[in-house]
Amino acid sequence: MKKVVTMLLAGGRGERLYPLTRDRAKPAVPFGAIYRVIDFTLSNCINSEIRHIYILTQYKSTSLHRHIQSGWNILSPALGEFIEVIPAQQRIDEHWYRGTADAIFQNIYTLQHEKPDLVLILSGDHIYKMDYRKMIAYHLEKGADLTVASIRMDRNLSKEFGVMEVDREGRIKGFQEKPEEPRTIPEDPDGILASMGIYIFNTEILVRRLIEDARSDSNHDFGKDIIPAMIKKDRVFNFDFSQGDCGGQGYWKDVGTIDAYYEANMDLVAVIPQLNLYDPEWPILAHQQPYPPAKTVLLEEGRVGMAINSILSHGSIISGGSVKRSVLSPRVMVHSYAEVKDSILLSGVDVGRHAKIRKAIIDKDVQIPERMEIGYNLDEDAKRFTVTASGIVVVPKWIKL
Amino acid sequence: MKKILVVEDEEGLRLLYEEELETEGYEVITARNGKEAIQKLEEEKPDLIILDIVMPVMDGMEALGRIVGKDRKIPIILNSSYSGYREDFMSWVADAYVTKSSDLEELKAKVKELLEKGQTR
């Protein structure tokens, strides 16, 4: 069996997710009531029996560190397994990481220490379920130097992705980073093959290409520099996500904007969501505090505690208020006569009596006073909250209302 | 005149390299360890570095990373009595690896080759 080490890039600032990323890196942003974004990638690793994982962080990493320490302390060091967070150490360069490739190069001492056969490079920014073992098997079968996972996307999204051209054998022949005019899939002129930022490298080739890149003028980025250079001289193959997709729905989301984040959360309250969190074959692990079970109370005239088409988490009490089509994290209180709909309430949010919330994301521990309305007068809301063009109101953490 | 920075903790070797390379027509500056080398790199802007690996204060492997962090393109020759460091990923950052020998011909040839390559770059 080949020795695989995973390097999970978790340094993204997630600027388009502001204010959710005001105090945390993008991978640490809460998602789906009880998870953090990074939990999906880490669960994929564990379910794929990959247990040598380094998480490379740089910006605003405290929240992520805490999450990994308390929630992912599940492996056995005695068996050589680990999930280890490596902050940017400036051991080589006295700068932050300049690009994705630089982040790995700066940790070359770590690769040296482990000397794996293969390096699996992942990002902590995406929501999906994937069996990396299938991709590793494919990589070995093809005798590849590098394998890049891809998914079909609509061509009008090409500016957000690395777009690949592939021959009949699956070998990557062209790679354009975020092109305006993408090369489409031959039999599918409206589709492109988008890189998912998931790479498997033979370690020696990776190190040699990283060094060449580090010693040249470059953006030090896998998509912009390393892959385009490698397709000219090395064996670079495409792995089709559908071959390793454990959800079977082709679900892969970058929750990089407030709109995308909102939609992806809201999808979870569907009767049959695209992303199935209930599959015992592919559990998504999360850090769960031992809070008491959720409950709904009060059934009186005009004062009914209820939640419909919603996700509730432990520690929450819906007491005489109503919750519709919403996602509630742990320890959320909704008091009498309050109304919450089409919203995402993160941990510890308290909604006062008669308050009304619609199409909003309320960050951790925010206290909504009695009778306050959010989402009903966007001009008013925009004076103190972030309001997106699509009309989603984001109430930031720590705000006093 | 091309300027070469020799990083070597053994005084005898430092003098030998200095003499031999000056005879070849280079200007030679020296440092006793990696830390001094980084200082000299900034002050003297050499054209090429010959870097010993096992040194006190800061060893050559550690210095190698920092040198490249400051100057991506400067040619670097690792020069050690041990060949085992070739296995180290970090050693691949250097442009060449020459095992120490009483005969300096290989080292001189590498210096010449890398400086010529640098001119065409």
Side-chain angles (χ1 to χ4, degrees):
Chain A
M1 187 134 133
K2 297 280 181 184
K3 180 172 176 185
V4 182
V5 161
T6 295
M7 305 290 259
L8 200 167
L9 300 169
R13 290 184 207 234
E15 275 160 356
R16 292 178 302 161
L17 265 181
Y18 195 88
L20 297 178
T21 45
R22 201 199 103 178
D23 302 299
R24 31 172 119 82
K26 184 172 164 188
V29 169
F31 178 86
I34 60 167
Y35 310 98
R36 305 273 186 149
V37 172
I38 198 173
D39 291 342
F40 289 82
T41 307
L42 286 174
S43 297
N44 288 340
C45 287
I46 301 304
N47 293 337
S48 302
E49 293 176 35
I50 286 171
R51 292 173 183 178
H52 300 93
I53 304 164
Y54 289 105
I55 301 176
L56 308 185
T57 65
Q58 58 181 347
Y59 308 108
K60 297 179 183 171
S61 54
T62 318
S63 164
L64 189 59
H65 276 242
R66 208 180 297 132
H67 176 67
I68 300 300
Q69 253 168 14
S70 49
W72 284 93
N73 190 11
I74 58 169
L75 296 183
S76 166
L79 298 176
E81 305 169 347
F82 59 85
I83 296 178
E84 202 173 299
V85 177
I86 310 182
Q89 300 180 86
Q90 307 197 342
R91 182 156 175 191
I92 291 180
D93 211 330
E94 291 164 3
H95 294 96
W96 292 109
Y97 299 141
R98 292 168 196 267
T100 48
D102 188 42
I104 306 292
F105 174 68
Q106 299 276 341
N107 287 287
I108 193 168
Y109 296 97
T110 304
L111 285 180
Q112 168 68 37
H113 175 69
E114 289 291 327
K115 283 242 170 176
D117 299 302
L118 304 174
V119 181
L120 170 64
I121 296 174
L122 302 170
S123 112
D125 288 353
H126 300 98
I127 310 284
Y128 64 113
K129 301 202 285 187
M130 177 170 174
D131 190 339
Y132 303 125
R133 286 172 298 194
K134 302 257 171 72
M135 183 168 165
I136 292 167
Y138 174 89
H139 176 87
L140 296 173
E141 181 193 309
K142 288 289 182 183
D145 294 315
L146 161 64
T147 300
V148 182
S150 74
I151 183 169
R152 184 209 177 270
M153 285 280 161
D154 288 337
R155 66 165 292 169
N156 58 5
L157 296 173
S158 67
K159 279 197 299 192
E160 292 173 32
F161 296 103
V163 176
M164 323 205 291
E165 268 179 287
V166 172
D167 74 7
R168 282 172 178 281
E169 276 68 52
R171 196 158 172 172
I172 300 173
K173 291 292 174 190
F175 193 98
Q176 309 164 276
E177 182 68 5
K178 302 181 175 152
E180 300 238 6
E181 289 295 326
R183 309 232 168 75
T184 54
I185 301 169
E187 63 277 18
D188 175 9
D190 296 323
I192 53 168
L193 273 186
S195 162
M196 301 163 74
I198 300 171
Y199 314 120
I200 294 173
F201 280 93
N202 293 347
T203 307
E204 183 172 335
I205 288 275
L206 171 67
V207 171
R208 292 200 184 279
R209 298 298 170 255
L210 286 176
I211 289 172
E212 286 165 13
D213 176 76
R215 302 211 61 189
S216 62
D217 295 318
S218 142
N219 295 297
H220 310 295
D221 188 83
F222 282 108
K224 289 186 194 125
D225 309 292
I226 301 275
I227 301 171
M230 281 185 70
I231 56 176
K232 293 182 195 128
K233 53 185 172 187
D234 299 309
R235 290 177 62 79
V236 185
F237 281 82
N238 166 51
F239 178 76
D240 181 355
F241 174 52
S242 64
Q243 304 301 306
D245 177 14
C246 293
Q249 303 279 323
Y251 188 95
W252 178 77
K253 284 259 154 67
D254 179 357
V255 288
T257 63
I258 293 291
D259 283 345
Y261 176 83
Y262 178 82
E263 291 305 330
N265 271 283
M266 281 303 153
D267 175 58
L268 296 175
V269 303
V271 177
I272 301 172
Q274 258 197 303
L275 176 69
N276 180 9
L277 298 173
Y278 297 82
D279 179 3
E281 300 289 313
W282 205 262
I284 305 302
L285 309 176
H287 171 48
Q288 310 221 34
Q289 298 270 15
Y291 299 126
K295 72 172 179 179
T296 61
V297 290
L298 289 174
L299 177 57
E300 295 170 10
E301 182 80 41
R303 196 185 184 197
V304 179
M306 64 171 188
I308 298 165
N309 288 342
S310 294
I311 290 179
L312 293 188
S313 307
H314 38 289
S316 294
I317 303 176
I318 315 301
S319 169
S322 76
V323 174
K324 288 173 189 160
R325 200 175 169 262
S326 292
V327 177
L328 272 54
S329 287
R331 288 189 299 108
V332 170
M333 290 288 300
V334 178
H335 296 279
S336 289
Y337 315 108
E339 231 181 77
V340 175
K341 59 182 181 186
D342 302 325
S343 292
I344 300 162
L345 273 48
L346 300 187
S347 305
V349 168
D350 185 291
V351 182
R353 287 187 169 207
H354 298 284
K356 284 172 77 178
I357 297 170
R358 179 172 76 178
K359 210 176 173 186
I361 301 169
I362 316 283
D363 207 335
K364 249 179 134 173
D365 295 326
V366 172
Q367 305 265 336
I368 307 290
E370 286 189 17
R371 297 190 189 277
M372 178 170 276
E373 294 191 355
I374 293 172
Y376 289 85
N377 183 339
L378 296 183
D379 292 338
E380 234 4 79
D381 290 335
K383 287 179 187 163
R384 45 187 176 169
F385 309 132
T386 303
V387 180
T388 66
S390 54
I392 300 163
V393 182
V394 190
V395 179
K397 207 173 153 180
W398 307 123
I399 199 166
K400 301 273 180 273
L401 297 171
Chain B
M1 197 193 282
K2 293 287 181 188
K3 199 191 279 187
I4 297 174
L5 171 59
V6 174
V7 190
E8 171 60 60
D9 60 328
E10 253 180 79
E11 198 187 355
L13 271 181
R14 236 174 16 241
L15 289 172
L16 174 69
Y17 283 20
E18 199 170 358
E19 199 174 303
E20 291 271 337
L21 290 166
E22 276 172 1
T23 314
E24 296 286 311
Y26 303 115
E27 183 186 346
V28 179
I29 50 174
T30 58
R32 290 172 299 177
N33 56 57
K35 206 172 166 195
E36 276 188 20
I38 290 160
Q39 222 176 340
K40 290 274 166 76
L41 171 71
E42 288 178 335
E43 291 166 6
E44 304 264 358
K45 307 264 177 254
D47 297 292
L48 181 143
I49 300 177
I50 297 171
L51 186 61
D52 185 18
I53 295 178
V54 184
M55 291 181 292
V57 186
M58 185 195 287
D59 67 59
M61 258 348 155
E62 184 77 30
L64 183 57
R66 292 177 182 246
I67 290 167
V68 171
K70 289 188 188 301
D71 182 343
R72 297 192 176 281
K73 295 194 175 170
I74 187 162
I76 303 164
I77 301 173
L78 278 176
N79 186 231
S80 174
S81 319
Y82 310 94
S83 63
Y85 292 107
R86 281 177 203 270
E87 308 284 308
D88 262 32
F89 290 158
M90 200 60 211
S91 77
W92 302 355
V93 170
D95 299 84
Y97 190 114
V98 177
T99 311
K100 276 181 189 168
S101 132
S102 55
D103 176 9
L104 294 186
E105 287 316 306
E106 189 193 350
L107 184 66
K108 286 184 199 165
K110 267 292 168 212
V111 169
K112 189 156 179 271
E113 180 196 320
L114 289 173
L115 286 173
E116 277 168 5
K117 207 162 106 191
Q119 270 165 350
T120 57
R121 206 161 24 189

